[in-house]
Each structure stands twice: as structure tokens, then as C-alpha cells.
Amino acid sequence: GLFHDGEPVLTSWQMATARLSIAWLALCPLLIGHLGLFRKHWLPLLGTGVLGNGLPALLFATAQSRIDSALSGMLNGLTPLMTLLIGVTLFRTRVRGIHAIGILLGLVGAVGLIAYSRTDGMPSWSAYAIMPILGAVCYGFSGNIVKRYLYGLPPKAISALALTWVGPISIGLALTSGLPETLRTDPHAWSALGYVALLAVMSSALALVLWNVLLQRTSALRASSVTYLMPVVAIGWGLLDGERIGIEQLGMIALVLVGVYVVSLPDRI
């Protein structure tokens, strides 16, 4: 979405606003029958809409223009830790020691997967690495907000109503960002927008609904721990694409799965 053969196509602002606009349009049909919930729950919906969708989309898109995807993915793995810290300090969430152990195990495994997936060592850091960290903080706030204040609402309604806070604004921002001119003048722009649309529908709209379903069935901390599975899934796609996997990566995958399992243990006892 951002580059074609190393050459910039869409700006991070264009990508973020287009992603949010398309995701909201994809979920608009779900608003039917649920608009009445907007007035009663507008404040927490605003919180999760901005912190769970609006700001992270811009932060990660901007970061991706300057840092490696590997580093961005690794820093996104801080989401469960941020969810834990924010839940304990601001939402009075009760956490057992075993939760912290599971979170740390998953974090070590996720970091290890990124480290062993590169042949030139760990990804290089820059000031832009702060943005995915802030994005993880936003996700931590959003998860706790949904769990505390929107627990009784249908997951589809939460997703569509939350994006209603940022979707219409994003359409206006996308149109004034130079996106129409880029689509008219850059031969690769439509292809890039197609990838952004795929990202919006799958990773924003559909994933947001599934995320809210998960939040209703378990704790915010346990739900956020699925973030650790992202490097595992990425490696799986790599295998399908002909990439090789080493014994070190298998060990780190096992560590990630153990961490996610440990986080869920209190719910099983």
C-alpha cells in the first residue's frame, strides 16, 4: 500500500484514512437496527473508536514508512503487556501472577521469532519505533474500555458504531489528502489502494468484529494475548511461500503457544 518496488505510492496519511474509510463502509450495513445504542454509549464508543482504530491506523502506517515490518510487528506484541498494565492501574483489573508469567513468556517468544527470522540481526531502531509502542498503548486502552463499558452490546454493533466516530471523518480527510490526484497520476496507485482495501476489510472490519466477540467471551488480557500469534501466522504464510523454518523458530513458536496457554489457565481452573 505504501510502496511499489521500493518507490513510494501512497503516503502514510492517505493509507490510514483510506483504510479507516473503507473499513467503516464495509461495516455500515451492520448499523441497521443498532443506531439507537449510539446515544446511550457514545462516550466509550468514542474511546474505542479513536484509540482502537483511528490513532493506531495512523501510527502504524507512519511507522511502516520508516521502519521494518518485523520491528513493527515485534512492537505490536507489546499490546498484551500494555493491556495488563492499563487494566491494573486504571481499570482495577485483578491479575494473578500466572497472568504476568504467561504475558512475559509470550513476549519472549514473539521477540525471538522476529530475531530468528532475520539473517542480519535484530531490526534497526529509530525514533519512528515509538509509534507502534504508542499504538500498543492505544490498543491496551481500547480493550479495557470495551470489556468494562461495552460488554453487553452485540460485537457487530460495537465494531460498526465505534468506527462511525472515525469513518466519516476519514473519508473527508482522505479526499483532502491528495489521494484523488495520486490515483489519477500514479499508475500504481489503484493497485496500492486495492491492497489497502484488503487490509481494511480483513484486518480492520472483520478482525474488529471477531476481536469484540472474543472480548465478550474472555478477559481483555487473555484476548489481547492472541497478538503473540501474529509472528506465528506470518511464519506459516512464509512456509506456504517456500520459506524455510529452523529449529530455533519452532522453539519460539512453542514458547508463544505456552505463553498464551498460561494466560488462559486461571479461566480453566
Side-chain angles (χ1 to χ4, degrees), residues 34-204:
H34 294 126
L35 280 175
L37 299 171
F38 197 83
R39 178 179 297 180
K40 183 178 180 180
H41 303 281
W42 69 270
L43 186 57
L45 287 170
L46 171 63
T48 188
V50 173
L51 297 175
N53 298 279
L55 286 178
L58 179 60
L59 289 170
F60 278 98
T62 304
Q64 290 291 134
S65 67
R66 298 299 182 94
I67 66 175
D68 291 344
S69 296
L71 178 56
S72 179
M74 182 178 70
L75 295 174
N76 192 30
L78 292 172
T79 297
L81 182 60
M82 297 303 178
T83 303
L84 171 65
L85 296 176
I86 292 170
V88 170
T89 56
L90 298 179
F91 290 84
R92 298 179 181 178
T93 302
R94 293 183 178 180
V95 177
R96 302 183 186 180
I98 196 170
H99 284 131
I101 293 173
I103 291 296
L104 292 176
L105 286 175
L107 182 61
V108 171
V111 171
L113 277 174
I114 301 300
Y116 285 115
S117 68
R118 295 177 60 91
T119 59
D120 56 348
M122 290 294 289
S124 57
W125 288 81
S126 77
Y128 283 85
I130 297 175
M131 292 184 173
I133 297 175
L134 294 176
V137 173
C138 290
Y139 286 144
F141 271 106
S142 178
N144 281 290
I145 289 172
V146 172
K147 189 64 181 178
R148 175 64 65 88
Y149 300 108
L150 301 172
Y151 181 82
L153 273 62
K156 294 185 293 184
I158 298 173
S159 306
L161 292 171
L163 276 177
T164 299
W165 276 109
V166 296
I169 297 175
S170 295
I171 292 176
L173 294 175
L175 293 176
T176 58
S177 68
L179 180 59
E181 179 67 14
T182 301
L183 293 172
R184 187 179 67 84
T185 58
D186 193 319
H188 303 296
W190 280 104
S191 175
L193 185 62
Y195 287 114
V196 173
L198 181 63
L199 180 69
V201 174
M202 299 300 294
S203 296
S204 292

Side-chain angles (χ1 to χ4, degrees), residues 15-27 53 57 163 192-209:
M15 178 180 176
T17 53
R19 175 183 179 179
L20 291 170
S21 302
I22 296 170
W24 177 67
L25 291 173
L27 291 180
N53 298 279
L163 276 177
L193 185 62
Y195 287 114
V196 173
L198 181 63
L199 180 69
V201 174
M202 299 300 294
S203 296
S204 292
L206 179 59
L208 183 59
V209 173

